[in-house]
Structure formats: structure tokens, C-alpha cells
Amino acid sequence: MKSIKYILLLAGGLLSLSSCNDYLDMEPLDQVTPDTYLWAEDDLAAYALKQYSFTTPGVDDGVGIFKGDNATDNQASAGYDTKWIPGQWRVADHYDYDYNDPWYFSAIYNCNYFLETVLPRYEAGTLTGTPENIKHYIGEVYLLRAWAYFDKLQTFGDFPIIEKVLPDEENALVEASKRQPRHLVARFILSDLDHAIGLMSDAPKGGTNRLSKNVAYLIKSRVALYEASWETYHANTVMVPNGPGNPAPKCTYDAQTEIKFFLSECKTAAAVVADQVKLAENLHVWADGSAKMNNPYYAQFADENLSSYPEILFWRDYDASLGIKHSTGYYLRLGGNTGYTRQYVESFLMKNGLPTYADNSGYKGDLTMDNVRADRDERLQLFMLKPGEILTTGQVDFEDKAPLLPNILGQTEKRCVTGYQVRKGLSNSWVRDYSNSVEGCPIFRAVEAYLNYIEASCMESGGNSIDAKAQGYWKQVRERAGLKGDYMITVNATDLSKESDWAVYSAGEQVSPLLFSIRRERRCELIAEGMRMYDLKRWRALDQVKNWQPQGVNLWESKLCDQYVDSKGNSQLVADGTDNSNVSSPSLGTYLHPYEIVNKTTNLLYGKGYNWCEAHYLSPIAVKHFRLTASNPNDLSTSVMYQNPGWSTVADEGPVIK
């Protein structure tokens, strides 16, 4: 009984009142929480702020958020993710620390406690403070509960919907553990966001360092687009309600009704943001190096204070005087154990709007970094570091340049894994001491609303057209990137058979050139912002991934391989497949293969590459939760819960391979 309550619902901290100990050993919350707490505006503000759980860099977090696309076709780190090797990702029996368990309920519990405590006081008019601020902080908690539930939706699909603090009764706790169909979870999230929108301010106290109504609209558009696309592309599979083989009880569900609803909700919410928030200006005055910080489009990712950039709806501030710092700048300068893949770099258009394969006279190939970048989409030029690029002028007593060679041989945590180095987030005053960076961290950008609307509009038409509002949004996004505003230039020149992008496919079938071009736009605009896996899963774009190897720079055909020499002129490259190797062999191709450097039994990607299986679209639930909710703990089939498709309830087992 005690374990059930702990694992299911009460495994979470209330502000700073306790550590992550067994909460059943605590006094009841009404005894821990002072009678005077959560009556005043400042209490509400502090409580809500404590629940913020958005990914931002820490001191020892390498390149911070800009490594978010690692383990996808966009970026690669030195170590590979076992999700790409069917059978290596296995069901956990339990987690040593419950806060590492993705089934963990603390964030939801904390929000429920707040709402259950504060709403009656708000309705009775007994809270003290400015009414608008009080409403805003209540709205924040609705948003935060929605955000916590959105994480669960992406991780598990079906999930229990719990809106209140539950009594300390075993039957009630077990009953509440029953998973609800994913479309109802998504609708619940949108309902919470509607509550948030009705309460929150456009300009809260704290500015864009606090959540706002526009953030709620943006998140609503993201959630709605996610569920619409998931239900569209996973239709008639085990991954949707009532799908063949789905282990959940049958429910009332009409796919077309749900998809239509979510697409409409996405467009409505996205348009609110896109119609009132302008994109950051790209000056288009080309200059590398420190001059990039004079360009608002670039600087909004690397400035210390992001409050002057309207496109940034929400960001985290850092302050060295308070010891609030990170190490992103230091690691970005060196390589940071990441790098863009060759396949990603090739996806960027020429400035005239043509794919590289359709511009025979303009595309200069990839024998040098200058050739790769020449006349390309300005996002590639802005956000990928050029070897030897000037980084800092006027800040130190010398001209600071990036290394003349990609750091493909460096220490793991500092290596540029593919040779194509991330520059996004690197300011012209980067700090040499690794833990002293104070650049702000962008969390939500308005441009996502533009992209969400465009995609939802295209999906509504079955991939065949977009409405006038979407056309206007897309023109703005393209022209900001230095491309021709007419998207049909790209669509008409697109040959899907020549595209290596996984997003050519959904459910194993090619999408329309128009829809693919919208997906390409999203991929290139959100460069290094951690959205790629989210997109690939909702698009069901991973089914066809078989034996795919991430690649990097053209190492062996270009002159680059001749430049890695020691002081005596001897080559520093070792490519014989042994433990001493530091680059892949030219026998594997002219491009660097970061996961085929050492040929040994422990390198499970050598000669195999990335492979996908259907079960990996969702995460397995740890076995412990089935024991705790089973009427007979020795027979897990008596649990009120069911495991996700393709996964078993046997600890340390991999998924059923399909």
C-alpha cells in the first residue's frame, strides 16, 4: 500500500519542503504546509515558478539545448543511442531513483495540489494580491500540468488522467492508475491550456522570463498538431485507439473526427501567435564571425538578454553574480560532442529555392566547407561554424578564430563528431572558462506557430494545398532565411527519389512534394533545437530506417584528410578499424562515418547502422507498476494497466521485433 501510493501519485516534492524521500513517511501535507501559505500572490508566483521543468543548460551540460537533435538524422554524438538497435532497449524492472522513471507523477501531483488548494480560495475571493497577477499564476499551473501531461502523451500514449490529489486508499489509487485513450489525454491537455489561456496575461510580471498567454497558445498548437499527425500517420495500427492488436479496452473513437478537431485547434491557436508576433529580422548583410551578433536573427540565440527579441516568447536568464551559469559557449567553440550529419547539411536548399541536385550550375559540392556553404540557405551559413571563422573581436586583446580544422580527433566531450560544427548559440564574447557562460537560453519561439499552421493547413487538404494564411506565413519564413518567397519554386523542383531525408515517408509511403517541402522547412528552421525526434515519431517517418549510417564531412576525397598532421608532417589519422583508429576507413566511403571507426564486437552499429522497430515509437512501462496495480502481484495480467504495444512485462526483455 505504501509503495503503491508513493510510485503512483505522491512521488514528488512540494517546492523545497522535502527531498525525494519516501513521501509516506512525511506528515500529511496540511501539516507540512503553513496555514498562511498559498494565500498571497507572491506564494502563488513562487510555487508556479518552482514547477518550471523546461530543458535548459546546466554547468556540466556540454552545448546545452543545441545538442537536442543528437541521435537523429540531424546530429550525432560520439556515443550512439540504443533505441537504434532493436533488442538493446529493454523493459526496466524498476528505476533506482523514482524521479528517473518516466511514469513519475510528481509534476502532475504538484499541480493538482496547487489547483485543489488555490481554486476554492480564488473563487471565494480570499486570496491577497493583484487580481490579474493571481489569475496569471493560476493559469501558469494549468499550463504546467498540460506540459507535464504532454510529456506523458509523447512517452506513453495512453495515460491516467488525474485532476485531484487522491485519498490515501489503495482501491482509489489503483482505480486511478487505469490508462485513458491517447486522444482523450490530448483533449484533456488542450482543455488545461484553454483554462490557462483564459487566465494568463500577454505581458506577465517578469516579462518573457515567465510563461505567458502566447506561450500557452503556442504549446496548444504543438500538442494539437502532434496528436493530429500521430493519429493520421499511425492510423489502423496498434498505436491508435481501437487499432488492430491494441491492448487497451475498446473505446468510443472516430479517427477522422479527432484528426479534424486537432487540426482545427492547431490552426486557431497558431494563428493567434503568428498574427501578432513578428519574426526576428535577418539583415542579410553577409559576414561571418563576430558580426553575426549584429544580426537579430542570429543574436536571439546567443545574446545574454533575450527580452528585446519579440520572436522569443520564453527564455531562461543567467546571472554570473548569482552563480547561475552554464558551459554552452565553451563547448560550442570546441565542438561539444555533437555535429550536423552530412545528410542534414544536404537538405538545405540553394538560395534560389532549388534543392542542390536541381541546381547543377550553382551547387559547388562538398570538397571544401566554402563550397558546402556557397549560395545556400542562410540558416546553414549562420548556424554552422566555418573552420577559421573569426569569433571574437573587440572583446579580447587578440583576434579569436575557430580552429582551422574540424575537431574530429578531440576528446569526446569536445569533439566535433561529424566535422560539421554547430554554431547556433555561440556569442562573440564566449567565455574561455567552461562554467562561466551567461547567454540566455531560448525555450519557445514564435516561428514554430508559423510552421505549425502551415503544416496543419497542408494536412487538412490531404497534402495537396495550403490556405492563403499559410502561404503568407511560409513566405515570411523563407524570405527571412534568404530564400525566394515563392515556395512552388522548391515544390516543382523536388524529386523525392533524390531526397535522403527520412521525412519523405510516412507509414512507409512517400508524402506529396508539397508536404515534404513543408517538413524540410521545419527541419531547417529548427536547426539544433531538439524538435527532430518529436517530428519523426508523429509523422511515422521511421518505419523505413534500415541500416542507416550517419555521415560527416567528405574526409577522404577532399584535401581535408591531408591536413591532419603532427609537427613532423606525419598523418594523425588512423583508419584501420582497430582500437587505435580515430576515423573511419576510406573503404567505407569518402565521408566520415562516426560510428564505424572501430570495428569491434562492442560497436553494435559497425556495418549495421540505425535500425528501427515499431515498438520504439512509445516507451515501455517498468514492470514495478504492473506489480503494484495487480490484484495478484505474481500474475501481472491481473493489473489494471496494460503494457505498450510491442513491449512485454518481463524485465530486461527487448521489444517484439517487426
Side-chain angles (χ1 to χ4, degrees):
M1 168 61 180
K2 292 176 67 175
S3 295
I4 290 175
K5 185 176 180 183
Y6 170 54
I7 293 299
L8 292 182
L9 303 168
L10 295 184
L14 181 63
L15 290 180
S16 300
L17 298 178
S18 177
S19 63
C20 296
N21 296 319
D22 189 331
Y23 274 72
L24 297 179
D25 294 334
M26 289 170 46
E27 295 177 21
L29 281 171
D30 60 355
Q31 295 178 30
V32 175
T33 305
D35 291 338
T36 56
Y37 191 60
L38 293 180
W39 289 94
E41 172 188 327
D42 289 345
D43 296 341
L44 309 187
Y47 190 107
L49 186 63
K50 186 67 175 181
Q51 311 313 312
Y52 282 19
S53 59
F54 306 97
T55 301
T56 55
V59 170
D60 299 314
D61 201 24
V63 297
I65 64 168
F66 302 111
K67 65 175 182 296
D69 282 339
N70 280 350
T72 72
D73 55 342
N74 282 8
Q75 288 175 243
S77 63
Y80 54 79
D81 192 322
T82 56
K83 69 171 173 280
W84 294 112
I85 309 169
Q88 291 300 304
W89 185 10
R90 298 171 183 170
V91 178
D93 178 80
H94 65 283
Y95 290 81
D96 291 338
Y97 299 98
D98 287 288
Y99 52 80
N100 290 331
D101 188 341
W103 194 259
Y104 197 50
F105 272 80
S106 67
I108 294 168
Y109 169 78
N110 289 345
C111 292
N112 286 345
Y113 175 80
F114 176 95
L115 294 172
E116 193 169 283
T117 302
V118 172
L119 285 178
R121 299 173 181 178
Y122 170 68
E123 292 165 358
T126 53
L127 296 172
T128 61
T130 306
E132 285 303 307
N133 290 343
I134 290 171
K135 286 175 57 180
H136 178 81
Y137 300 133
I138 295 172
E140 278 195 341
V141 176
Y142 273 115
L143 186 155
L144 290 162
R145 186 169 70 178
W147 185 252
Y149 261 98
F150 186 40
D151 175 69
K152 305 304 184 186
L153 178 67
Q154 294 175 79
T155 305
F156 297 111
D158 298 358
F159 199 74
I161 297 176
I162 301 169
E163 302 180 66
K164 60 182 180 180
V165 176
L166 298 177
D168 187 6
E169 299 172 2
E170 182 172 1
N171 290 339
L173 295 171
V174 171
E175 180 67 20
S177 301
K178 291 181 178 179
R179 301 172 69 185
Q180 299 299 311
R182 62 173 302 123
H183 67 293
L184 297 184
V185 178
R187 281 178 174 262
F188 172 68
I189 294 169
L190 296 191
S191 175
D192 263 4
L193 290 168
D194 284 338
H195 285 304
I197 289 165
L199 292 163
M200 295 178 75
S201 168
D202 285 325
K205 185 178 179 181
T208 48
N209 284 143
R210 287 214 72 124
L211 297 167
S212 67
K213 181 176 293 191
N214 274 336
V215 172
Y217 274 119
L218 178 61
I219 294 174
K220 184 178 179 182
S221 75
R222 183 188 293 189
V223 173
L225 181 61
Y226 176 85
E227 191 58 23
S229 49
W230 183 283
E231 293 185 30
T232 296
Y233 303 119
H234 291 269
N236 302 312
T237 74
V238 71
M239 296 293 177
V240 295
N242 299 343
N246 189 299
K250 296 296 182 182
C251 63
T252 301
Y253 172 74
D254 180 80
Q256 292 310 309
T257 298
E258 295 300 317
I259 292 166
K260 182 179 179 180
F261 167 76
F262 287 118
L263 288 176
S264 176
E265 291 290 294
C266 171
K267 289 177 64 179
T268 300
V272 172
V273 179
D275 285 346
Q276 64 175 298
V277 183
K278 294 185 179 299
L279 300 179
E281 184 181 7
N282 181 1
L283 299 180
H284 306 293
V285 177
W286 196 246
D288 279 331
S290 61
K292 285 184 176 177
M293 287 300 293
N294 297 324
N295 186 340
Y297 182 31
Y298 181 87
Q300 68 178 343
F301 300 100
D303 209 342
E304 291 185 18
N305 187 337
L306 306 186
S307 60
S308 64
Y309 301 95
E311 186 179 334
I312 304 298
L313 302 180
F314 180 59
W315 63 285
R316 181 179 177 182
D317 196 7
Y318 291 82
D319 188 334
S321 67
L322 299 176
I324 305 172
K325 303 174 289 185
H326 59 85
S327 56
T328 298
Y330 171 81
Y331 282 108
L332 282 172
R333 163 69 169 73
L334 300 170
N337 189 20
T338 189
Y340 301 129
T341 65
R342 170 210 172 194
Q343 295 93 332
Y344 186 30
V345 171
E346 287 183 345
S347 72
F348 286 84
L349 299 169
M350 304 298 295
K351 289 188 70 172
N352 59 18
L354 297 177
T356 55
Y357 56 75
D359 191 358
N360 295 327
S361 61
Y363 179 54
K364 302 184 186 307
D366 56 16
L367 293 183
T368 69
M369 193 67 71
D370 284 336
N371 285 353
V372 169
R373 290 155 46 99
D375 297 320
R376 301 289 292 282
D377 182 327
E378 289 181 11
R379 291 171 291 204
L380 182 65
Q381 301 184 55
L382 281 169
F383 301 122
M384 185 171 73
L385 188 68
K386 176 184 175 181
E389 183 176 341
I390 296 172
L391 297 177
T392 307
T393 53
Q395 303 292 328
V396 291
D397 58 359
F398 63 93
E399 186 176 74
D400 181 33
K401 292 184 177 182
L404 296 176
L405 294 174
N407 186 27
I408 61 174
L409 306 180
Q411 294 176 312
T412 297
E413 67 273 16
K414 301 176 182 178
R415 187 181 310 159
C416 179
V417 175
T418 64
Y420 287 126
Q421 189 164 340
V422 178
R423 197 199 200 283
K424 200 171 199 176
L426 183 62
S427 75
N428 65 354
S429 57
W430 70 280
V431 179
R432 293 179 177 279
D433 296 328
Y434 87 100
S435 62
N436 288 312
S437 294
V438 291
E439 291 82 10
C441 175
I443 300 173
F444 292 112
R445 278 202 296 147
V447 72
E448 185 192 342
Y450 290 63
L451 298 168
N452 291 349
Y453 188 100
I454 297 165
E455 185 179 340
S457 178
C458 189
M459 288 182 64
E460 280 188 330
S461 75
N464 298 315
S465 64
I466 56 175
D467 64 28
K469 187 179 285 287
Q471 292 175 36
Y473 293 157
W474 200 358
K475 184 175 186 290
Q476 292 180 63
V477 174
R478 285 173 63 93
E479 290 181 345
R480 201 256 298 265
L483 302 171
K484 298 288 185 181
D486 183 0
Y487 63 87
M488 290 306 297
I489 294 173
T490 301
V491 175
N492 291 333
T494 295
D495 182 345
L496 296 179
S497 70
K498 294 181 180 179
E499 296 286 351
S500 62
D501 191 328
W502 293 347
V504 165
Y505 295 92
S506 280
E509 301 290 335
Q510 288 187 348
V511 300
S512 69
L514 173 62
L515 183 55
F516 169 70
S517 296
I518 291 169
R519 291 179 177 184
R520 183 211 299 273
E521 194 72 59
R522 184 179 183 90
R523 186 186 191 191
C524 295
E525 176 60 39
L526 300 177
I527 180 171
E529 293 184 47
M531 295 290 285
R532 183 60 169 173
M533 199 63 184
Y534 155 87
D535 286 334
L536 292 168
K537 285 185 174 182
R538 68 184 177 88
W539 291 332
R540 195 181 163 194
L542 299 167
D543 288 13
Q544 77 288 343
V545 177
K546 307 292 182 187
N547 303 319
W548 186 90
Q549 285 287 356
Q551 297 177 3
V553 293
N554 190 336
L555 179 62
W556 296 109
E557 187 181 7
S558 68
K559 296 180 181 180
L560 184 61
C561 61
D562 299 327
Q563 298 178 54
Y564 290 94
V565 294
D566 61 21
S567 59
K568 297 180 180 180
N570 299 316
S571 176
Q572 295 177 303
L573 304 182
V574 182
D576 58 10
T578 68
D579 289 352
N580 295 320
S581 293
N582 51 25
V583 292
S584 57
S585 168
S587 66
L588 298 173
T590 63
Y591 297 96
L592 177 64
H593 289 211
Y595 298 140
E596 292 191 294
I597 292 174
V598 176
N599 183 7
K600 55 195 294 188
T601 57
T602 56
N603 182 2
L604 300 179
L605 288 186
Y606 194 98
K608 299 181 180 66
Y610 287 5
N611 286 275
W612 189 256
C613 69
E614 186 179 26
H616 287 189
Y617 280 111
L618 295 173
S619 297
I621 301 168
V623 176
K624 182 174 186 177
H625 301 294
F626 297 97
R627 287 197 297 266
L628 294 173
T629 55
S631 58
N632 178 1
N634 296 317
D635 180 1
L636 300 187
S637 68
T638 65
S639 170
V640 300
M641 293 168 52
Y642 45 87
Q643 182 59 284
N644 269 333
W647 297 100
S648 79
T649 54
V650 178
D652 206 36
E653 277 198 0
V656 176
I657 308 301
K658 294 187 178 181

